[in-house]
Amino acid sequence: MVKPVARLFQTPEKNIMAEIGKTASLMENVIDLSIGDPDMTTPKPLIDATTQAMLNGKTHYTASNGDLEYLQAIVNFHNQKFSSNYKLENVRATDGASHATDLAFGALLDPEDEVIIFSPYFSPYKVQVEQFHATPVFVTCKEEHNFEPQKEDIEAAITSKTKVILVNSPNNPTGAVYDKSTLQDIADLAEKYDLYLIADEVYWPYVFNNHEFTPLENMAPGRTLVTGSLSKVFAMTGFRIGYLLGPTAVVDAAGLLNEGVAYTAPSMAQSAGSYGLQNERSLSAPLQDEFGKRLAYLGEELNRLSWAKTIPVAGSIYLFLDISGSGMDDVQFSDYLLEKAGILVIPGQAFGQAGKGFIRIAATQGMDQLQKAVDGFKKLDFSKH
Ligand SMILES: Cc1ncc(COP(=O)(O)O)c(C=O)c1O
């Protein structure tokens, strides 16, 4: 007998997504709208910049906090684009935003601390908190509030143990883009109760229908950590490149933790990141337009169905569809959708209890596939259920 793995992983929760994914892998011609990975190839100038960087020798470790050029590009980008006031000591290169979030939690959390997470939520957050023996506290965001958290609900969830509020806008999975006043409420609560904020802003360019992205970083700068990612901004998920920005003491502590985790980020991906941030508008605008078009199409078509309901998409690359009118729960619905129409989506409850009754549709396929998907949705018949 060998001793078991850590208690946290001994009785894993049911992995709804893995089960549906397994069924889908046995089927042919499935329209996969499950994965939050832009289908577009990374823009060629970025690939060229990476290749050139490798030919120039960027194949080694960089300094543990990152390559100076990349760090400067991040600082310049945020200071110019969002009128922030960062210096090099506020930034660290990471292997994507998930790594940055992980380091931020590790740098901040002691056992028994609590982290407020708005639900539905990007599912990895829960374990990211629990691995440090801290406790996630979920605050439900409702469709009737456009999935934005309400100040009184957040305040009711704050206790003497609360250390961090995690904010993800534009939001995965709901597509909510938090209004400036909502973010100001959150920042005010952070000041009032002496809390840190972690701002996961990986979808920041993806805002539609006159919504505006408001960066949280300047509302409570001394207590806000931004977990940045180039994965979605430039369709470069496989490069594993992102960053952590925030107060120097926290960024330094994250560095100590990262010495034994990833040490630094891939050097050629950092070069790609520098190029990307220096040319952000021209590289990201076509992706943003394309996702805007796709989501508008899906929203309009699916809203026509008697059993489906969605609010106009504000942001992100996802549509969060209320399917409760079908008479099925979201897991049953997703199974049925796969079986009858060959369409793979994620049931809302994979993003927490608050996601029940919804499905998340990732617009990560071209228009031709989305048209086929819409036809498939239209053919569903719930009269026999
Ligand atoms: C809200 C959110 N945060 C973080 C990530 C991870 O991003 P990265 O590829 O930079 O680790 C994702 C990926 O889907 C996401 O949806």
Side-chain angles (χ1 to χ4, degrees):
M1 269 291 275
V2 286
K3 289 183 179 173
V5 297
R7 277 194 292 275
L8 181 58
F9 303 108
Q10 284 173 18
T11 46
E13 282 165 26
K14 195 167 164 217
N15 189 338
I16 305 167
M17 199 41 226
E19 283 175 26
I20 298 182
K22 205 161 136 195
T23 314
S25 70
L26 303 172
M27 295 170 61
E28 273 178 26
N29 301 325
V30 168
I31 303 176
D32 188 351
L33 304 178
S34 68
I35 304 294
D37 187 354
D39 52 307
M40 303 85 166
T41 307
T42 306
K44 186 159 182 306
L46 273 166
I47 296 178
D48 289 344
T50 315
T51 310
Q52 196 52 53
M54 285 194 285
L55 292 171
N56 292 346
K58 297 279 185 184
T59 57
H60 299 272
Y61 292 128
T62 64
S64 66
N65 57 334
D67 189 86
L68 187 57
E69 191 194 5
Y70 179 51
L71 300 178
Q72 193 64 61
I74 298 163
V75 166
N76 292 350
F77 178 75
H78 274 260
N79 290 354
Q80 283 160 19
K81 185 97 186 173
F82 304 133
S83 308
S84 310
N85 195 19
Y86 289 119
K87 301 195 177 72
L88 282 171
E89 69 226 35
N90 299 117
V91 63
R92 157 163 294 277
T94 64
D95 304 357
S98 280
H99 180 211
T101 314
D102 217 58
L103 294 183
F105 282 140
L108 291 174
L109 297 178
D110 286 312
E112 272 110 61
D113 282 343
E114 292 178 356
V115 176
I116 292 182
I117 296 175
F118 303 128
S119 182
Y121 59 96
F122 177 53
S123 43
Y125 294 151
K126 184 168 177 282
V127 169
Q128 285 190 319
V129 171
E130 288 173 342
Q131 71 180 323
F132 297 111
H133 307 283
T135 306
V137 174
F138 298 105
V139 170
T140 297
C141 299
K142 298 199 180 112
E143 189 179 20
E144 71 214 51
H145 299 129
N146 295 330
F147 292 108
E148 293 202 47
Q150 304 298 293
K151 187 173 187 185
E152 55 280 14
D153 296 339
I154 307 170
E155 194 154 19
I158 295 174
T159 71
S160 57
K161 294 178 177 171
T162 310
K163 183 105 183 242
V164 181
I165 302 177
L166 178 69
V167 182
N168 170 218
S169 170
N171 187 270
N172 175 12
T174 65
V177 175
Y178 295 177
D179 194 74
K180 198 169 181 181
S181 62
T182 303
L183 294 168
Q184 192 58 59
D185 285 345
I186 295 171
D188 291 347
L189 288 172
E191 296 288 359
K192 181 171 172 189
Y193 293 97
D194 187 15
L195 308 176
Y196 281 97
L197 299 174
I198 297 181
D200 178 338
E201 297 176 346
V202 310
Y203 298 101
W204 72 263
Y206 297 109
V207 285
F208 314 111
N209 291 322
N210 298 324
H211 286 272
E212 261 182 48
F213 167 70
T214 307
L216 187 59
E217 61 203 48
N218 299 322
M219 292 182 166
R223 49 180 80 250
T224 303
L225 288 135
V226 175
T227 61
S229 171
L230 308 188
S231 288
K232 322 282 172 160
V233 179
F234 301 122
M236 54 191 292
T237 51
F239 284 64
R240 309 309 303 130
I241 186 70
Y243 52 89
L244 179 66
L245 261 178
T248 311
V250 186
V251 172
D252 284 351
L256 296 177
L257 172 61
N258 199 39
E259 290 287 311
V261 180
Y263 182 63
T264 186
S267 53
M268 63 293 285
Q270 293 188 53
S271 297
S274 308
Y275 182 89
L277 290 170
Q278 286 155 7
N279 299 278
E280 181 272 319
R281 227 26 336 241
S282 63
L283 293 168
S284 82
L287 299 167
Q288 191 187 330
D289 288 350
E290 178 64 18
F291 277 112
K293 233 184 288 165
R294 292 176 182 183
L295 287 167
Y297 169 73
L298 284 174
E300 200 175 306
E301 290 294 330
L302 298 180
N303 236 344
R304 289 186 219 270
L305 303 173
S306 60
W307 48 266
K309 195 164 60 129
T310 179
I311 49 179
V313 177
S316 85
I317 58 173
Y318 310 103
L319 186 80
F320 208 49
L321 189 70
D322 181 342
I323 51 81
S324 49
S326 69
M328 291 182 170
D329 81 15
D330 47 298
V331 175
Q332 288 169 328
F333 180 93
S334 302
D335 283 337
Y336 183 71
L337 181 67
L338 181 62
E339 185 194 325
K340 295 288 175 206
I343 301 169
L344 182 63
V345 296
I346 303 193
Q349 58 188 277
F351 306 98
Q353 291 302 304
K356 275 191 166 170
F358 293 83
I359 55 167
R360 191 195 78 173
I361 303 172
T364 49
Q365 298 280 350
M367 282 303 279
D368 52 338
Q369 287 294 90
L370 295 186
Q371 277 158 7
K372 277 190 202 155
V374 165
D375 289 344
F377 272 100
K378 283 183 179 162
K379 283 185 195 132
L380 297 181
D381 177 7
F382 297 103
S383 55
K384 295 181 204 75
H385 289 271

